[in-house]
Amino acid sequence: MTGGNLMSYEFPCLPTVDSEKTTALKLDIGNSSSSRLSIQFDSDSYSPLSIPEQQSSAETNSFLKLKSAQNYVVCSKRMKYALQEIEMTPKTDEATTISTPDHQEDEHKLKSAQNYAFYSRSMRYALENALMEPGIDEATTSSTPDRQEDELNLAPKKRSTACVPHCLPEKRQRRTSESDSVEVVNLLFKCAEALDDGNISDFEVLENKISDHVSIEGEPIQRLGAYVLGGLQARHKNSGSKIYRVLRCRQPESKELQSYMSNLHNVCPYIKFGYMAANGAIAEAVRDDNRIHIIDFQIAQGNQWETLIMALAVHPRGPPHVRITGIEDPFNRSARSDDLQLVGNKLSDLSKMHKIPLEFHPLSVYAPEVTMEMLDIRPGEALAVNFTLQLHQTPDESVDVNNPRDGLLRMVKGMSPKVITLVEQESDTNTTPFLVRFEETMNYYSAMFESIDAIFSRKDKDRINIEKNCLAKDIVSIIACEGEERIERHEVLEKWRSRFIMAGFSPFPLNSHVISVIRKLLGRYSEKYTLMESDGALLLGWRNKNLISASAWH
C-alpha cells in the first residue's frame, strides 16, 4: 500500500480502490469468457473437507452444514389473546343478544370480537395480496378479505430463462467431478489457515490456485469462492474496511439499487419473510390504537411498510393516524437527503392511495447516536420499533466498552413501546475467532448462494448484481475486518433473546395467521425452504440450515 491509493495491488475478486476514483468502482470478476475465473462447477457437488472422493453426493451435500448447523427444538406457542376467544365463542342468536339489557355487555364483547375477526382477516388479506403477481385478474384481487385461500396466487415471480436454454441446470455444458468441488473448498480453507498462521508464501501459492477455480458466473461454490477469496486478499492487505466502505457507498443510481433489492425480494423469500413477520406483530400490537408511531431503524427504500399500511387502512373503526420515523445510517448511500425524500414520496403516495393519514420524518444518524429527543415521542401514540437487518451493525461490548448495542435496547425500553420487531441473519460471526468465523461464513453463504441458484440462470446479470451489490460487502467485512472496523457482526436468535431479556423485554409471540401465510408462501418457492417455530419466534432456512430469524418483543 502506497501514497494516496487505498490499495496498490491487483484484486481479482474485489475492486482495486483508488481514492480519486471510488465512484467508478466496478466488480468485473469473470464477466467475460476469456477470464481465468470462468470455470463451471456442478451445483450439487459440495462436500465437507473430510469426505473422500468416492462418497455419495448425498454425503457430499452435507458440506452445506460444515459441522456447525444448529438444531433447534421445535415448539409451537400460538397467540392466546383475543383470537382464541373468537375461535371458541359459540354462535349466538342475534335476537337473543339484543333483546334484554342484561345482554348489552355481551353484545359489546361480541361486536368487539367480530371487529377483531374482520381486522385479522383484513391483515391476512393485505399480506397475501402483497405477494400476488401483477397481472392477476382484477376481479380476484378485489374480492373480500375472507375469500377462499385457494383463490390466491402466492407464487414468487419466476425468472424467464427461455433466452438462455444452455444455462438451465439440465443442459449445462460444463460439469466437473465432486472431487473438484471438494478441492475448491479445501483450497479456500488452506488459504485461510495459511493467512491466519502468517505463512504468506503458502497463501500466495494457494491464492493463485483458487483464482483458476472460481467465477461469479459459476456454480454456487465457485461464486462464493470468488468473493471469499477477495475477502482473504483484503485481509492480507489490511484493506478490508476500505473495500467494505466503497462497496457500501458505491454509487449506483437509486433506481438501479432499488432494482437489485426488488429482484432479491421477488425471487427469494428472505426479505419478504422478515417484513411479513414484523408487520404482523406490529398490526397485532396496535390494532386497538387510533394513533401509531413506527420507528424504523433502517428505513432503506421503505418497502416494508406498504403491506402494513394496506392492513391498517381497512380497520373496522377507520384507519388510524400513522407516523413513521425513518432512520438511516449516514454511512449508507440511501441516507442521502434526496433518497430519503424518495422514500417520503413513496409513503405519501401510499397514504393517498389507501386513504390513511400518514406522516414521514427522515432521520440520517448512526443508530447508537439516536436520542429520545430526536424521535419526538408524543403522548397518546402507540409506539412500535422496528429493527430489520440492522441491529447486528451496532457494536457491542466486544468492540466498545460502552456496549452501544445493549445501550440502544435499553433506550428503546425506556420509551415503553408496545412492540419491538427484530429480523436478523441467523449466523454467529460476532465474537468468534477468525477461522471459526470463516467456517461459519462458508456454511451460511453456501446455503444462501445455492438458494439463489435455484431461481436464476448461471449468467443472469440480475443474479450477478444481487450477489455483488447485496452480499459481497458482508462477506468482505466478516472475513477481512477485525475490531471496530468489522461492521457486520451477526448473532443467532438465542443470543438476541438473551440481550432482549436482559434489557427488560418479554417475547411477543408472532400471530398465527401470519405464520400460516408465511408457510404457504414458502411452499410456492421451493420445498427446500424450511420454517421453524422457536418460543414464539420464527426461523427461515434452506435445507434445514437456518438463515433468517424473526421475533417480536414488548
Side-chain angles (χ1 to χ4, degrees):
M1 189 182 230
T2 61
N5 290 333
L6 300 181
M7 298 165 52
S8 59
Y9 64 100
E10 292 300 322
F11 199 38
C13 296
L14 288 170
T16 298
V17 182
D18 190 305
S19 61
E20 297 177 356
K21 299 181 180 180
T22 55
T23 60
L25 175 68
K26 294 183 179 179
L27 199 58
D28 295 324
I29 323 156
N31 284 335
S32 67
S33 58
S34 62
S35 170
R36 64 173 179 165
L37 307 183
S38 60
I39 300 175
Q40 301 267 340
F41 280 70
D42 192 290
S43 63
D44 296 325
S45 56
Y46 282 93
S47 286
L49 303 183
S50 59
I51 290 183
E53 296 180 12
Q54 66 267 26
Q55 284 190 307
S56 68
S57 60
E59 294 172 312
T60 303
N61 283 334
S62 66
F63 164 70
L64 298 175
K65 299 186 177 72
L66 285 173
K67 303 178 290 182
S68 64
Q70 301 180 18
N71 294 320
Y72 289 91
V73 177
V74 179
C75 59
S76 67
K77 282 193 173 182
R78 300 288 188 178
M79 302 279 296
K80 293 184 179 180
Y81 303 103
L83 182 60
Q84 285 186 330
E85 296 182 8
I86 298 167
E87 295 173 342
M88 295 187 292
T89 301
K91 294 183 179 179
T92 309
D93 182 72
E94 184 177 355
T96 304
T97 60
I98 63 174
S99 58
T100 65
D102 293 339
H103 290 96
Q104 288 181 358
E105 184 176 353
D106 291 337
E107 177 194 4
H108 174 73
K109 289 180 180 179
L110 179 60
K111 188 177 231 178
S112 175
Q114 289 170 340
N115 283 341
Y116 175 61
F118 175 83
Y119 182 53
S120 295
R121 290 196 303 272
S122 299
M123 178 60 192
R124 188 172 188 175
Y125 166 65
L127 289 170
E128 293 170 337
N129 188 53
L131 302 176
M132 294 163 57
E133 286 191 306
I136 295 175
D137 186 82
E138 186 174 349
T140 303
T141 60
S142 61
S143 58
T144 58
D146 54 346
R147 70 196 188 286
Q148 293 292 326
E149 289 183 359
D150 292 339
E151 294 176 9
L152 298 172
N153 181 1
L154 300 182
K157 298 178 182 177
K158 299 292 184 182
R159 302 208 53 84
S160 172
T161 54
C163 61
V164 283
H166 61 282
C167 292
L168 292 174
E170 65 270 22
K171 295 184 179 180
R172 288 176 192 143
Q173 297 176 340
R174 294 181 180 181
R175 290 190 175 275
T176 187
S177 66
E178 293 177 0
S179 60
D180 288 332
S181 293
V182 174
E183 181 182 3
V184 174
V185 177
N186 275 324
L187 287 172
L188 286 168
F189 271 86
K190 288 178 180 178
C191 193
E193 290 170 354
L195 186 59
D196 192 51
D197 291 339
N199 192 338
I200 303 306
S201 59
D202 283 357
F203 168 79
E204 291 173 346
V205 171
L206 291 164
E207 172 188 8
N208 290 329
K209 286 184 179 180
I210 294 170
S211 67
D212 290 330
H213 292 79
V214 295
S215 166
I216 62 170
E217 292 182 354
E219 302 289 334
I221 185 58
Q222 287 182 289
R223 306 198 309 267
L224 174 60
Y227 296 116
V228 167
L229 177 59
L232 291 172
Q233 291 169 321
R235 184 180 181 88
H236 172 49
K237 298 294 184 179
N238 293 320
S239 59
S241 63
K242 298 181 180 70
I243 295 175
Y244 175 79
R245 181 174 287 104
V246 172
L247 288 171
R248 194 174 176 190
C249 298
R250 67 185 300 271
Q251 300 293 312
E253 294 296 325
S254 183
K255 290 182 179 178
E256 182 186 354
L257 181 60
Q258 177 108 9
S259 174
Y260 302 153
M261 297 304 296
S262 295
N263 283 333
L264 181 60
H265 181 274
N266 289 333
V267 303
C268 295
Y270 304 119
I271 297 176
K272 191 176 294 185
F273 159 79
Y275 287 175
M276 291 174 64
N279 287 351
I282 292 172
E284 171 71 13
V286 303
R287 63 186 177 85
D288 293 325
D289 295 286
N290 295 321
R291 301 187 68 83
I292 301 166
H293 183 191
I294 299 170
I295 300 174
D296 187 351
F297 271 85
Q298 185 157 286
I299 190 69
Q301 286 80 41
N303 295 330
Q304 174 171 349
W305 305 115
E306 181 174 358
T307 304
L308 183 62
I309 289 170
M310 289 170 59
L312 295 175
V314 297
H315 197 290
R317 294 199 306 269
H321 180 278
V322 178
R323 188 161 61 99
I324 298 177
T325 297
I327 302 170
E328 192 62 54
D329 186 343
F331 193 49
N332 287 339
R333 181 185 183 277
S334 59
R336 296 191 333 180
S337 59
D338 53 344
D339 288 327
L340 288 174
Q341 183 60 46
L342 289 176
V343 175
N345 293 341
K346 177 191 296 185
L347 295 174
S348 177
D349 291 342
L350 289 171
S351 172
K352 295 173 183 176
M353 182 186 306
H354 299 289
K355 297 179 173 58
I356 179 171
L358 188 147
E359 299 177 36
F360 175 63
H361 298 279
L363 190 60
S364 178
V365 63
Y366 187 41
E369 297 174 0
V370 173
T371 64
M372 291 182 64
E373 291 73 23
M374 296 178 185
L375 300 173
D376 187 22
I377 306 300
R378 301 173 187 173
E381 287 183 331
L383 183 62
V385 178
N386 182 62
F387 290 104
T388 296
L389 302 176
Q390 185 280 329
L391 199 54
H392 70 272
Q393 294 180 346
T394 301
D396 71 342
E397 65 277 7
S398 66
V399 181
D400 186 332
V401 293
N402 296 317
N403 195 354
R405 184 174 296 186
D406 288 352
L408 180 57
L409 290 179
R410 288 193 296 270
M411 184 200 74
V412 170
K413 178 64 177 177
M415 298 187 296
S416 301
K418 275 205 163 184
V419 66
I420 298 179
T421 50
L422 176 71
V423 179
E424 279 293 349
Q425 293 175 233
E426 187 67 3
S427 180
D428 192 7
T429 62
N430 183 19
T431 59
T432 51
F434 170 65
L435 288 179
V436 177
R437 191 166 75 244
F438 181 85
E439 181 179 353
E440 173 70 4
T441 303
M442 291 287 291
N443 181 30
Y444 184 90
Y445 284 98
S446 63
M448 180 72 75
F449 274 59
E450 183 180 326
S451 69
I452 295 175
D453 199 60
I455 299 294
F456 286 100
S457 64
R458 279 296 143 76
K459 294 186 178 181
D460 193 311
K461 290 184 179 179
D462 285 338
R463 179 198 57 73
I464 294 172
N465 283 327
I466 285 173
E467 293 173 350
K468 183 170 65 174
N469 293 283
C470 303
L471 302 179
K473 64 179 178 60
D474 293 5
I475 295 172
V476 169
S477 177
I478 296 168
I479 292 177
C481 302
E482 295 292 349
E484 62 182 13
E485 292 186 341
R486 180 153 58 88
I487 306 299
E488 305 295 331
R489 292 178 166 274
H490 305 104
E491 292 186 315
V492 294
L493 176 61
E494 291 305 313
K495 291 187 177 180
W496 288 119
R497 182 174 280 138
S498 296
R499 288 190 186 277
F500 273 77
I501 291 174
M502 286 190 295
F505 294 103
S506 300
F508 187 99
L510 296 174
N511 188 294
S512 59
H513 283 311
V514 176
I515 295 174
S516 67
V517 172
I518 292 174
R519 286 193 186 281
K520 188 167 186 175
L521 166 70
L522 294 181
R524 306 292 184 176
Y525 277 89
S526 170
E527 71 280 359
K528 295 178 183 178
Y529 284 109
T530 59
L531 188 68
M532 181 184 297
E533 294 180 61
S534 175
D535 293 333
L538 288 179
L539 291 155
L540 171 64
W542 173 264
R543 285 185 169 179
N544 294 310
K545 167 59 182 173
N546 293 323
L547 297 177
I548 302 288
S549 68
S551 59
W553 305 83
H554 62 169

